[in-house]
Amino acid sequence: FKINDEEVYAIVRDITERNVALQRQLDFELEKERGKILTEFIRGASHEFRTPLATINTNLYLLANSENPDYAGKKIDQIGNQVQRLTRLVDTQLMIVRLNDASQLNTQAVDLHYVLDVLHHDALETYGEQPTLTIDVPQDLPMLLGDGAYLRTALEQILDNAYRFTPPG
C-alpha cells in the first residue's frame, strides 16, 4: 500500500502460538514453584508434628511403667500440653487453607493499637515478665483494613515464638 506516494510494505505475523507457548511455560514454572513451596511446607509441618508426638509417646511409655502417682500426674500433664500443641498445629494448618480463600476473610477496619494492647496483656498473663515485651507504636497510626482475628492470630504466633526462643534477660 502507499502512504503519501511512498510504497510501504508490512509484514504481519500471527504470534498467538508463540504467546500460548510462553503462557504455558509461565504456568509450568508457577506450578513448579507451588510444588516447591508445598514440599517445604509439608516438611516443616511434619517436623512440627513429630516433636509433640515423640514427647507423647515417650511420656506414655514412662507413665505405663510408673507406679508413682505424682510422677504419673506430671506425665499426664505433659501429654495434655502436647495434645494442645498438636491441636494448635492442626488449627494453624486449617487457617492457612482458609486464608487462601479470600471470600472467608472478614475484612474491616482494624485498630492496631487495640490489638497490640490485648496481645500485650495476654502475653504478660501467659509468659510473665521475662523476656520483657515493649510495644512502641506511633499514636497516629491509621486503621488497617483486614481481618482482625487473623491479624491477632498471626501476631500471637510471632509473640509465642519470640517468648519460646528468647532467653530471659
Side-chain angles (χ1 to χ4, degrees), residues 50-135:
R50 275 193 201 112
T51 303
L53 288 171
T55 303
I56 290 169
N57 195 35
T58 301
N59 284 328
L60 284 172
Y61 172 80
L62 294 171
L63 184 61
N65 293 302
S66 171
E67 295 179 14
N68 180 338
D70 292 334
Y71 182 78
K74 180 180 172 188
K75 292 301 168 191
I76 289 170
D77 288 345
Q78 288 175 344
I79 291 169
N81 289 336
Q82 294 305 313
V83 168
Q84 287 176 353
R85 182 175 174 198
L86 285 170
T87 301
R88 283 192 308 270
L89 285 170
V90 170
D91 290 344
T92 301
Q93 306 302 312
L94 292 172
M95 183 186 348
I96 290 169
V97 170
R98 286 191 299 269
L99 285 172
N100 281 323
D101 181 6
S103 69
Q104 294 192 20
L105 295 178
N106 181 18
T107 304
Q108 58 188 355
V110 178
D111 182 356
L112 186 58
H113 287 284
Y114 174 75
V115 171
L116 292 174
D117 284 342
V118 170
L119 287 173
H120 184 250
H121 178 266
D122 291 351
L124 288 175
E125 279 189 8
T126 303
Y127 302 104
E129 296 288 334
Q130 288 296 321
T132 303
L133 174 62
T134 305
I135 298 177

Side-chain angles (χ1 to χ4, degrees), residues 142-155:
M143 298 286 276
L144 301 176
L145 185 61
D147 189 311
Y150 284 128
L151 174 63
R152 179 177 171 170
T153 301
L155 293 173

Side-chain angles (χ1 to χ4, degrees), residues 11-27:
I11 299 174
V12 178
R13 283 192 190 157
D14 184 2
I15 60 169
T16 304
E17 191 174 304
R18 180 173 175 240
N19 286 342
V20 168
L22 285 172
Q23 185 61 48
R24 285 185 182 148
Q25 174 77 23
L26 285 171
D27 291 344

Side-chain angles (χ1 to χ4, degrees), residues 39-54:
T39 299
E40 287 301 313
F41 173 75
I42 291 170
R43 185 174 291 126
S46 26
H47 173 74
E48 289 294 324
F49 281 104
R50 275 193 201 112
T51 303
L53 288 171

